[in-house]
Amino acid sequence: MSFVFAPAAPVAVPIAGSQDSFPVRRVYCVGRNYAAHAREMGFDPDREPPFFFCKPADAVVPVAQGHTLDLPYPPETANLHYEIELVAAIGKGGANIPVDQALQHVWGYAVGLDMTRRDLQMKMREAGRPWELGKAFDQSAPIGPLHPAASVEGIGQAAIWLQVNGADKQRSDIGKLIWSVAETVAYLSKYFRLEPGDLIYTGTPEGVGPVVRGDIMTGSVDGLGTLSVRMV
């Protein structure tokens, strides 16, 4: 097979403690999956069915443990927000996955950032239009190394937090997800056949807010290392 131009190299997330990498197929994101965050965004946090949006695979930016990513401030926004999230990586495909089998499809976990052009997202939301301009832009999904699920204990109750320039901004725990990882995987698989290489950003807790050039974001989910990003 020949191509009119060379295909782009696959996006791949490094595996902690390994020379191997995890190739990314799709990126799904869960909206408003913590009750307090739903409230701060002006919504009722009752346990309505989850909803999803997508980012392109090449929005993912792997960040090695111990390194700080220099992330360019994106164009056409004056209100760029951080959202720290637990990321679940799918290693076994399936559709209509039962909740009690869903975690068998999760290869591993990482800490990620869902960067958001909040002003553009809100403008699109108010007009009843899709969120791509606010969510799916270039380099909008920094992610730390993936940790195999078998090596991570207590992820369902792990602390999740983010600081900007050393000051606490987001602090919660994974047990406060409205929809657990297993429930999210099961529900999503009713609408899309999940495949190895899919990443699911599982939602952000309360405390989202803006960053400007020069700010350093440091975030973590306990057991998954620390993600460090500097806006430039």
Side-chain angles (χ1 to χ4, degrees):
M1 181 183 296
S2 61
F3 299 95
V4 297
F5 55 85
V11 176
V13 180
I15 307 302
S18 171
Q19 296 299 311
D20 292 336
S21 295
F22 183 92
V24 178
R25 174 179 175 265
R26 290 184 181 173
V27 181
Y28 300 98
C29 304
V30 188
R32 297 194 296 267
N33 203 19
Y34 287 81
H37 174 57
R39 291 189 189 99
E40 75 178 354
M41 298 303 292
F43 291 91
D44 187 335
D46 285 347
R47 202 169 184 265
E48 62 185 27
F51 73 92
F52 301 88
F53 58 91
C54 292
K55 292 177 182 272
D58 63 4
V60 172
V61 189
V63 185
Q65 186 62 47
H67 290 238
T68 297
L69 170 70
D70 282 340
L71 186 66
Y73 196 94
E76 300 300 324
T77 182
N79 193 20
L80 178 70
H81 279 208
Y82 51 79
E83 296 188 8
I84 193 72
E85 309 205 5
L86 171 68
V87 182
I90 299 298
K92 175 184 175 183
N96 297 307
I97 299 168
V99 172
D100 61 359
Q101 298 175 22
L103 294 184
Q104 300 173 22
H105 294 256
V106 177
W107 188 93
Y109 299 98
V111 56
L113 277 167
D114 168 18
M115 300 303 295
T116 302
R117 294 192 283 203
R118 190 72 73 198
D119 45 0
L120 299 186
Q121 181 197 22
M122 293 304 180
K123 183 177 180 180
M124 295 301 102
R125 192 179 84 183
E126 290 165 4
R129 295 174 180 171
W131 288 3
E132 273 80 358
L133 291 181
K135 288 287 192 178
F137 55 94
D138 297 341
Q139 298 182 292
S140 60
I143 189 172
L146 275 167
H147 295 249
S151 71
V152 180
E153 296 183 1
I155 195 68
Q157 300 297 324
I160 180 171
W161 56 269
L162 181 131
Q163 296 179 335
V164 177
N165 302 326
D168 265 17
K169 297 297 182 180
Q170 294 184 274
R171 191 166 291 272
S172 187
D173 67 74
I174 302 305
K176 293 182 179 178
L177 284 169
I178 296 172
W179 292 86
S180 69
V181 173
E183 291 170 327
T184 296
V185 169
Y187 192 90
L188 182 60
S189 75
K190 295 194 299 183
Y191 294 91
F192 300 91
R193 179 177 174 83
L194 299 179
E195 297 289 359
D198 291 344
L199 298 179
I200 303 174
Y201 279 62
T202 60
T204 195
E206 69 276 14
V208 299
V211 284
V212 297
R213 290 181 177 87
D215 284 346
I216 297 177
M217 296 169 284
T218 306
S220 181
V221 175
D222 281 2
L224 302 180
T226 301
L227 177 62
S228 180
V229 176
R230 179 192 295 112
M231 297 308 306
V232 296

